[in-house]
């Protein structure tokens, strides 16, 4: 069978009267395998060795027919006698090296891990997979040493990845149909490392229809795997495939108009940012003027920093005008979730026409997506999303809107509905000055106006230009805080533009 095993849905059996009752173990396993269980472990702490071997052989007939591996819990001697695919050992069971000596290099040997140390030791010792647990308190195993929760599992996954191990992992303990999706999502590490599957006992063993319970679980597991792979099967941090220095060049060659409908506080810095990157800023909040401005070949920025009924009507008119002219619109839903008025305004803007780019922080993007999403993921609205959830969110919103979605934060997430690009650049001084978030929208608008070939490349490159300029400014000896930062930041934006025009792309080394 080789060692490429599908750990997606891993059934651990239980022959105790509380769980198995009067049913036939072999029949339950046969049903579960028919329902899609991908790996089976015989776990029986009470039967005699002879009985275990007999049960193991009967189970192996069933699993072999289905092409599913059978492993024996703890009893390496039984695994050897049954000649099944391997064994699973807990921290208090036979040790890994001993089990390996008995079963040989080709056997599958899994190890239980409840801490980072246990996990790393098992990896180091050559385990074939890890069973990470206990995730949630469970009646099935009452003597659990630790309840990890999704965050504890995630920490173990992150540590394994950090140490360079690519070992498959499942988690175990209290997993059922209602928590499996969230558990799989919440355990994904920021770098995209995820569980290969889940191991369960009771949810299948006590189910009236084990086949049905198995296939219901497997459907969810496969769907999360598909989404996570899509979200992370794309360029990683600093990936160059979406970086196009031509975007920076084109902006200063074409000097596209960046038409800003924004609040008073940010107008000055937004206009200066536009000039520094080579674009032509126009600050006009009057909707009637938009149809003429749209014909000038630039892009529109709708910034919701100040909401008034009149402003909203102007925004609607301008979006319509830019859509009709086939020119891009960037939407910055400032403070989207903060008030009922703003939540309503988001709906008005979203339905006013096509928005080519939506840019906001986590809360704003979640509000734009709508409350469904929050419920669907089972995350309360005050909690923050983990990296995987952010990736899904930007990707799902971009796919729904057919546009580019940017979620800013310490790590920025950018998606075109298929790929997700993460950007780690920027500097905290950007957050200490007013208008720098809004001015990023301005920089993005100039880029999408000048670089129609790829909106994703335009946005990613504009963001790198902006955030790397901030890093370079912050590092200058003459910059002591927010006040000295702003002019230095404008200088660095300008210098990057000049360097890029001259073919010097050294700044991209920071991406
Ligand atoms: N091992 P259920 S938890 C067999 O933490 C087992 O290592 C665990 O049963 C561990 O799916 C557990 O019914 C029981 O909660 C899991
Ligand atoms: Mg055990």
């Amino acid at each position: 069978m080789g060692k490429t095993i599908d750990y997606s849905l891993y059934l651990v059996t239980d022959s105790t009267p509380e769980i198995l009752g009067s049913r036939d173990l072999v029949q339950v396993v046969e049903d579960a395998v028919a329902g899609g269980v991908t790996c089976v472990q015989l776990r029986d702490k009470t039967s005699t060795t002879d009985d275990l071997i007999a049960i193991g052989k009967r189970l192996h007939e069933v699993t072999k027919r289905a092409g599913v591996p059978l492993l024996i819990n703890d009893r390496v001697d039984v695994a050897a006698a049954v000649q099944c695919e391997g064994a699973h050992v807990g921290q208090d069971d036979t040790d890994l090296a001993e089990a390996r000596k008995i079963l040989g290099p080709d056997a599958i040997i899994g190890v239980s891990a409840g801490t980072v140390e246990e996990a790393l030791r098992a990896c180091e010792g050559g385990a074939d997979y890890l069973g990470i647990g206990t995730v949630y308190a469970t009646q099935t195993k009452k003597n659990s040493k630790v309840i990890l929760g999704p965050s504890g599992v995630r920490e173990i996954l992150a540590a394994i990845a950090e140490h360079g191990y690519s070992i498959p992992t499942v988690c175990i303990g209290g997993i059922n149909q209602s928590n499996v999706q969230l558990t799989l999502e919440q355990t994904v590490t920021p770098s995209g490392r995820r569980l290969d599957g889940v191991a369960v006992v009771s949810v299948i063993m006590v189910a009236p229809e084990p086949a049905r319970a198995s296939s219901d679980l497997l459907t969810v597991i496969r769907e999360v795997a598909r989404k996570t792979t899509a979200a992370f099967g794309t360029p990683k941090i600093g990936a160059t495939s979406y970086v196009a220095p031509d975007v920076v060049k084109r902006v200063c060659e074409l000097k596209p108009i960046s038409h800003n409908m924004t609040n008073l506080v940010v107008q000055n810095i937004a206009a200066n940012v536009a000039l520094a990157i080579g674009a032509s800023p126009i600050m006009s909040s009057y909707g009637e003027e938009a149809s003429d401005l749209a014909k000038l070949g630039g892009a529109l920025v709708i910034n919701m920093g100040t909401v008034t009924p009149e402003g909203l009507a102007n925004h609607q008119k301008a979006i319509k005008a830019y859509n009709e002219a086939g020119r891009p619109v960037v939407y910055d839903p400032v403070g989207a979730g903060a008030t009922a008025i703003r939540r309503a305004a988001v709906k008005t803007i979203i339905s006013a026409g096509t928005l080519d780019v939506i840019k906001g922080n986590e809360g704003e993007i979640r509000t734009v997506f709508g409350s469904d999403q929050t419920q669907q993921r089972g995350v309360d609205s005050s909690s923050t999303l983990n990296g995987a959830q952010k990736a899904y969110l930007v990707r799902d919103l971009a796919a729904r809107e057919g546009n580019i979605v940017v979620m800013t934060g310490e790590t920025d997430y950018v998606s075109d509905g298929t790929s997700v690009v993460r950007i780690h650049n920027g500097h905290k001084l950007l957050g200490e000055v007013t208008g720098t978030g809004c001015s990023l929208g301005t920089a993005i608008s100039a880029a999408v106006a000048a670089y129609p070939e790829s909106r994703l490349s335009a946005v990613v490159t504009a963001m790198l230009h902006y955030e790397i300029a901030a890093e370079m400014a912050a590092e200058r000896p003459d910059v002591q805080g927010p006040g000295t930062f702003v002019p230095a930041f404008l200088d660095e934006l300008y210098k990057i533009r000049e360097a890029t025009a001259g073919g010097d792309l050294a700044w991209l080394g920071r991406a």
Side-chain angles (χ1 to χ4, degrees), residues 45 73 90 93 112 141:
K45 304 274 190 195
N73 183 279
D93 301 339
S112 302
K141 186 179 171 108

Side-chain angles (χ1 to χ4, degrees), residues 12 43 112 131 133-134 138 140-141 144 172-175 199-203:
V12 179
R43 182 171 181 269
S112 302
T134 305
T138 172
T140 314
K141 186 179 171 108
S144 294
I172 186 164
I175 305 293
V200 299
V201 179
S202 54
V203 71

Side-chain angles (χ1 to χ4, degrees), residues 416-434:
D416 61 355
T418 307
S419 303
V420 178
V421 178
R422 287 172 297 154
I423 298 175
H424 291 271
N425 295 93
H427 194 275
K428 66 175 174 24
L429 277 176
L430 279 173
E432 306 285 336
V433 211
T434 187

